[in-house]
Amino acid sequence: MAHEHFDIAKKQADLTAMMDRVLVNNRLGHAYIFEGMVGSGQEDMALYLAAYLNCLNPADKGIPCGTCNHCRRILSADYPDVYHIEPDGNTIKIDQTRDLKERLSMSSLEGDNQIFIIHEAEKMTVNAANSLLKFIEEPHENVYIFLLTNNRDAILSTIVSRCQMIHFPQLNKVDLQVLFEEAGIKPSMAATLTALTNDVGEATALAENEDFQQRLNWSLQWVDLIVKKDPRGLTMVASDWMKGPKGRADMIQALSLVAFHFHDLLYLRLHPDQGQDNQAQLVFPNDFGKYQGMVNKITVADATKALHLVGQAQRMIQSNVSVQSAMEYMVLAYWKK
């Protein structure tokens, strides 16, 4: 099968083979949610399917050729029947989904099918999501919609229940780290960033971002204070974390860094006899020495509780609870017996 022109076959070979079987058997649904870490191939899969639906010169069993006029324009986002919807600022607004509905009333311009790709679908406002829901409940012939997200829990549950869900696994960390290093990222930072993104561009931007570097440093300091039940773990929220303008997405990402530290501590508690052999299994292998002062002060139950509370704090921030309140709640709930 002619996959060499499509990145998805390199990133997610098993998923590509699965979707090929769906296509060959003419069982492609009209609405999908592609969820997974940024850069895991969600957009690549949507473009691959769009090419399948509009290819002028399909290969064996209808697999898109990747070289015809339609395929090349789809891959370069220059094909009128493949419509991309991206956040306007921090959200996808109802006017954008209304525009989608207007386009549905029009005939396709060049091919037989229309494809709508919604990027960062978790950022749809409630009104936008409800507007989209009407289309999903009453699908149009030859119209397909792909919602791309790294957080399916933030998508309206009624939309989730009416779409087919496909999870995109994290890419191989060893190969990903090599890609990051080839892009000029230092090895220690490249290893850390493989836990946050699968996207080279995003990884490069984070590696060069001084605010991210600061959040990275603070995350370990904060976890140390929390584990040791040092009162500065609470005051650090206001004295450090709240300094300067920070968006909710930045703080949710910071809490992901905190979660990775607790993950590492949990791993070390569960595998106490492997010594430095554990380092390769850690998200932050360079912090192995610093973990030694914490690991005996945290139980498996404590680490598990901490991971749950971090996730809860992230959901609170997503629900517009103040960042400071969510982070202070996390600390106090962890310390509560």
Side-chain angles (χ1 to χ4, degrees):
M1 293 183 178
H3 290 138
E4 62 268 20
H5 300 286
F6 298 94
D7 289 341
I8 188 60
K10 305 168 191 172
K11 291 182 178 180
Q12 302 284 358
D14 291 342
L15 279 184
T16 304
M18 180 192 78
M19 291 309 296
D20 281 345
R21 291 193 293 272
V22 170
L23 297 173
V24 167
N25 291 303
N26 197 29
R27 298 182 63 184
L28 186 66
H30 76 282
Y32 286 84
I33 294 175
F34 295 158
E35 68 93 14
M37 185 181 289
V38 174
S40 297
Q42 298 96 309
E43 181 179 3
D44 299 308
M45 179 64 82
L47 294 175
Y48 177 70
L49 297 176
Y52 170 85
L53 292 165
N54 290 284
C55 181
L56 295 172
N57 186 31
D60 182 44
K61 297 184 179 179
I63 300 305
C65 68
T67 59
C68 70
N69 177 272
H70 284 192
C71 282
R72 286 187 287 105
R73 290 166 59 207
I74 286 169
L75 291 174
S76 61
D78 184 32
Y79 187 75
D81 293 327
V82 178
Y83 182 55
H84 295 260
I85 300 174
E86 301 189 35
D88 178 8
N90 292 322
T91 60
I92 294 174
K93 300 174 175 60
I94 188 170
D95 288 345
Q96 293 174 273
T97 52
R98 284 175 178 160
D99 185 38
L100 181 154
K101 292 170 70 176
E102 288 181 13
R103 287 174 176 267
L104 288 173
S105 64
M106 307 175 189
S107 300
S108 57
L109 297 176
E110 294 195 35
D112 295 326
N113 301 285
Q114 288 181 288
I115 294 91
F116 295 87
I117 302 174
I118 300 183
H119 300 256
E120 300 181 75
E122 72 280 0
K123 293 185 177 180
M124 283 188 291
T125 64
V126 173
N127 287 337
N130 281 323
S131 176
L132 179 67
L133 180 61
K134 294 176 183 178
F135 157 70
I136 295 176
E137 290 177 328
E138 302 174 2
H140 291 57
E141 187 177 2
N142 298 329
V143 174
Y144 302 85
I145 184 165
F146 304 116
L147 290 83
L148 318 181
T149 183
N150 64 355
N151 182 12
R152 67 177 181 181
D153 293 335
I155 297 177
L156 197 69
S157 60
T158 46
I159 287 182
V160 173
S161 66
R162 288 164 175 78
C163 294
Q164 296 188 48
M165 179 77 64
I166 296 183
H167 172 69
F168 284 67
Q170 182 177 350
L171 303 185
N172 180 283
K173 293 186 70 171
V174 174
D175 294 340
L176 192 59
Q177 182 170 343
V178 171
L179 287 176
F180 289 174
E181 291 178 20
E182 288 175 347
I185 301 173
K186 293 180 180 179
S188 58
M189 178 59 70
T192 296
L193 290 172
T194 60
L196 282 173
T197 182
N198 283 188
D199 184 77
V200 174
E202 184 180 17
T204 302
L206 287 174
E208 297 172 351
N209 187 308
E210 291 183 3
D211 288 338
F212 175 74
Q213 299 281 351
Q214 184 67 79
R215 291 194 292 272
L216 191 57
N217 293 332
W218 281 345
S219 65
L220 180 61
Q221 296 173 27
W222 197 42
V223 168
D224 186 39
L225 294 172
I226 292 171
V227 169
K228 295 176 179 177
K229 298 187 177 178
D230 187 317
R232 289 175 295 174
L234 188 60
T235 59
M236 186 178 174
V237 176
S239 65
D240 292 304
W241 285 118
M242 294 300 104
K243 283 183 178 178
K246 295 181 179 67
R248 290 180 178 271
D250 290 333
M251 301 313 294
I252 289 170
Q253 182 191 76
L255 285 170
S256 292
L257 298 173
V258 170
F260 295 148
H261 287 302
F262 279 116
H263 169 276
D264 285 352
L265 290 170
L266 176 60
Y267 184 87
L268 292 173
R269 286 296 300 178
L270 290 171
H271 303 87
D273 301 324
Q274 295 185 28
Q276 292 194 350
D277 290 341
N278 278 328
Q279 286 183 259
Q281 305 301 321
L282 302 180
V283 178
F284 296 111
N286 291 337
D287 292 330
F288 177 78
K290 297 174 183 177
Y291 287 147
Q292 301 312 300
M294 300 181 232
V295 71
N296 291 326
K297 294 180 172 61
I298 187 170
T299 65
V300 169
D302 289 336
T304 303
K305 178 182 179 182
L307 288 168
H308 170 74
L309 290 171
V310 170
Q312 190 169 350
Q314 289 176 313
R315 290 189 291 273
M316 291 169 69
I317 294 171
Q318 287 170 337
S319 300
N320 290 324
V321 174
S322 78
V323 172
Q324 183 169 344
S325 296
M327 296 179 83
E328 288 176 346
Y329 165 79
M330 191 198 93
V331 176
L332 293 172
Y334 178 83
W335 287 346
K336 186 178 180 179
K337 294 184 180 179

